[in-house]
Amino acid sequence: MFPNASRFRDPKLTEKITRHIKRLAPSYTIKICHVCGTHEWTITHFGLRSLLPQNVDVIAGPGCPVCVIPAAEIDAAVKLALEGVTITCFGDVLRVPGSELSLMDAKARGGDVRVVYGVGNAVRMAKQETNREFVFFAIGFETTAPSTAVEILKKPPSNLSFLITHRLIPPAMELLLGIGDLQIDGFIAPGHVSTIIGTEPYRIFPEAYGMPTVIAGFEPLDVLFAVSMILQQLKEGKPKLENEYKRAVTAEGNVKAQKLMQQAFKTVAAEWRGLGRLPDSGLALREEYEKYDAKKRYDIRTEKARDLLPGCQCHLIMIGKIKPDQCSLFMKECAPESPKGPCMVSVEGTCRIWAKHSGRG
Amino acid sequence: MCLAVPAKIVEISGDLAKVDFGSGVLREVNIMLLEEAKKGDYVLVHAGYAIQLLNEEEAEETLRLWKEFLEKVEIVGVDEEEEHEN
Ligand code: SF4
């Protein structure tokens, strides 16, 4: 297999890099922010926080694509499902609460909601069942958007349209830096988003914000090295952009994927659940492909929606302001079997990851 | 969601490729996002689409640099620790 994942988990190297991190750590508290659910999984699953000095804190930013879908988009999908349109979506989306109902509830009420592995499955289903109308719920960051672009540009079957809720990561990182009382001393940038966009979109973080930024992969050693690189930069007082995940991320990224995305989509201001409207942070279909836009096809107007249930702190979880065990509902009223907020639904949600790991990060 | 899994291309036919995720079980993935891909290449697969080639040489180089770096800082570190003890 590809240079053995186990070599990127080597216990001896882990021990050594952990010792090195301890040596590098300053005496004051450092907060390093990642923006990827898969990074949170690696950190929690391998217990990396417990390997770090107490004053080196790793916090999770808005890196869960399912968590940031506004309730209004879920409401739109629920409405379509109840009106007889077949909704195809990633499994993680099913239980995300809308204002009133989730897609799971819509399914229980007779809606045709089908889980797919990717947009390709939705296209195949639509081709096979020409008597039905299909909508693909297109969520995800830059990692996922290119696959939607591929299918849009290939001219999908006429009975398929798309609910586009793709979001872009760099604007969300920039939002975090604008939150006055949120301490962030360095960014671990998301490796898989970066395979597509390359390294350059992150350059503003060290250059305009003085923020050490390291693009990292998803094995424990990748994350630990990223932490040590950030600490080194802080020590030297020289913030820069570094790429730790060179085996998958190049400076220019996946140029073909970028071109396809640009052909299919334009960048627009977009809502993020609990975070509000961020400029240039979402994708929408270009005019020539608007006929595949489910909102236009079915004349869906985004109505006022309820993003968070009372007591749910997902908006603070998603910016790394608090950790799940600081929410009073965590593992009481809110648990994976009875989620109150999106962060407990998605396998990439911080609350869910902590819950699955005995309530700790 | 942004999870992407390494796999090896075993066979290519048009826009599709059969890939091996390591278990020997083959799955079909779409390779239209790649400029070029050939049999034997390692790719990262996300939601049924290969999103990028994986560079084996870079992987080896990363591991080599890490080892070298850690050996170096260990020596410096030991010196520092000894100083503390004295
Ligand atoms: S534990 Fe539940 S209620 Fe609390 S923030 Fe997380 S998802 Fe929301």
Side-chain angles (χ1 to χ4, degrees), chain A residues 1-3 7-8 13 16-17 19-20 23 38 65 90 117-120 141 143-144 146-147 150-151 154 192 195 221-222 225 244 246-248 253-254 256 260 348, chain B residues 1-4 6-7 20-22 27 30 32-35 42 44 46-49 51-56 58-60 63 66-67 69-70 73-74 77 80-81:
Chain A
M1 227 17 244
F2 185 75
R7 289 171 66 202
F8 286 88
L13 289 183
K16 286 184 182 175
I17 188 67
R19 265 207 299 276
H20 183 58
R23 281 196 295 266
T38 313
F90 292 108
Y117 177 58
V119 59
F141 298 129
T143 322
T144 321
S147 57
V150 162
E151 300 301 338
K154 273 205 312 198
H192 290 143
T195 62
L221 280 175
D222 287 315
F225 265 90
E244 177 283 326
K246 289 203 176 121
R247 59 193 190 276
N254 183 338
K256 187 175 181 193
L260 295 173
E348 284 191 296
Chain B
M1 264 307 303
C2 283
L3 184 68
D20 179 359
F21 284 100
R27 280 188 83 148
N30 186 307
M32 277 184 78
L33 291 170
L34 301 178
E35 205 67 71
Y42 284 100
L44 272 175
H46 169 72
Y49 294 74
I51 56 167
Q52 185 58 292
L53 290 171
L54 277 170
N55 187 327
E56 271 182 277
E58 284 288 359
E60 291 300 335
L63 286 165
W66 281 355
K67 278 196 194 122
F69 170 78
L70 287 174
V73 294
E74 281 283 296
E80 274 174 10
E81 273 161 24

Side-chain angles (χ1 to χ4, degrees), chain A residues 187-309:
Chain A
F187 273 132
I188 298 178
H192 290 143
V193 162
S194 310
T195 62
I196 303 293
I197 67 175
T199 59
E200 292 320 289
Y202 304 106
R203 200 161 287 284
I204 56 159
F205 299 114
E207 289 181 1
Y209 294 97
M211 191 57 58
T213 305
V214 178
I215 297 164
F218 298 94
E219 294 298 339
L221 280 175
D222 287 315
V223 174
L224 291 170
F225 265 90
V227 169
S228 88
M229 288 156 90
I230 289 170
L231 292 176
Q232 183 70 40
Q233 290 187 32
L234 288 169
K235 190 174 173 188
E236 291 170 1
K238 284 188 196 144
K240 55 187 170 192
L241 174 63
E242 292 184 280
N243 178 12
E244 177 283 326
Y245 196 29
K246 289 203 176 121
R247 59 193 190 276
V249 176
T250 58
E252 66 280 8
N254 183 338
V255 177
K256 187 175 181 193
Q258 291 167 24
K259 275 194 198 137
L260 295 173
M261 274 167 76
Q262 271 156 21
Q263 272 173 42
F265 303 120
K266 58 185 176 195
T267 307
V268 293
E271 293 286 338
W272 293 58
R273 192 174 202 141
L275 303 183
R277 196 173 182 78
L278 308 188
D280 300 328
S281 69
L283 297 176
L285 288 170
R286 286 194 184 278
E287 221 166 279
E288 55 266 49
Y289 304 108
E290 272 180 356
K291 57 176 183 277
Y292 300 116
D293 185 338
K295 283 194 181 157
K296 297 233 157 61
R297 186 172 291 187
Y298 300 105
D299 194 25
I300 300 169
R301 276 164 230 281
T302 313
E303 282 151 29
K304 262 216 155 324
R306 187 177 59 173
D307 271 344
L308 295 175
L309 290 177

Side-chain angles (χ1 to χ4, degrees), chain A residues 22-280:
Chain A
K22 288 201 173 108
R23 281 196 295 266
L24 277 177
S27 52
Y28 48 91
T29 299
I30 291 293
K31 288 195 188 268
I32 297 174
C33 180
H34 72 73
V35 280
C36 178
T38 313
H39 274 146
E40 183 56 30
W41 186 87
T42 301
I43 291 163
T44 306
H45 184 76
F46 293 99
L48 300 188
R49 283 195 181 89
S50 67
L51 299 180
L52 299 176
Q54 272 202 335
N55 61 333
V56 177
D57 193 9
V58 180
I59 59 172
C64 160
V66 175
C67 305
V68 303
I69 309 170
E73 305 287 335
I74 303 284
D75 295 348
V78 164
K79 186 163 180 273
L80 288 173
L82 294 176
E83 282 170 2
V85 176
T86 299
I87 301 290
T88 52
C89 64
F90 292 108
D92 244 17
V93 179
L94 268 189
R95 289 170 41 162
V96 177
S99 296
E100 301 294 336
L101 303 178
S102 66
L103 277 169
M104 185 81 113
D105 300 326
K107 194 177 162 77
R109 292 179 188 200
D112 187 11
V113 181
R114 304 185 195 174
V115 169
V116 292
Y117 177 58
V119 59
N121 302 96
V123 172
R124 267 192 294 279
M125 281 179 192
K127 279 183 182 161
Q128 277 161 8
E129 298 173 57
T130 47
N131 56 339
R132 289 200 70 87
E133 296 274 306
F134 285 81
V135 166
F136 176 66
F137 202 157
I139 71 147
F141 298 129
E142 292 92 331
T143 322
T144 321
S147 57
T148 309
V150 162
E151 300 301 338
I152 297 276
L153 297 172
K154 273 205 312 198
K155 293 211 176 93
S158 59
N159 58 334
L160 174 65
S161 59
F162 298 77
L163 202 52
I164 305 282
T165 46
H166 289 304
R167 297 288 183 265
L168 305 173
I169 278 289
M173 291 168 71
E174 219 171 337
L175 164 91
L176 296 179
L177 297 179
I179 301 174
D181 58 345
L182 185 67
Q183 183 193 344
I184 295 179
D185 302 292
F187 273 132
I188 298 178
H192 290 143
V193 162
S194 310
T195 62
I196 303 293
I197 67 175
T199 59
E200 292 320 289
Y202 304 106
R203 200 161 287 284
I204 56 159
F205 299 114
E207 289 181 1
Y209 294 97
M211 191 57 58
T213 305
V214 178
I215 297 164
F218 298 94
E219 294 298 339
L221 280 175
D222 287 315
V223 174
L224 291 170
F225 265 90
V227 169
S228 88
M229 288 156 90
I230 289 170
L231 292 176
Q232 183 70 40
Q233 290 187 32
L234 288 169
K235 190 174 173 188
E236 291 170 1
K238 284 188 196 144
K240 55 187 170 192
L241 174 63
E242 292 184 280
N243 178 12
E244 177 283 326
Y245 196 29
K246 289 203 176 121
R247 59 193 190 276
V249 176
T250 58
E252 66 280 8
N254 183 338
V255 177
K256 187 175 181 193
Q258 291 167 24
K259 275 194 198 137
L260 295 173
M261 274 167 76
Q262 271 156 21
Q263 272 173 42
F265 303 120
K266 58 185 176 195
T267 307
V268 293
E271 293 286 338
W272 293 58
R273 192 174 202 141
L275 303 183
R277 196 173 182 78
L278 308 188
D280 300 328

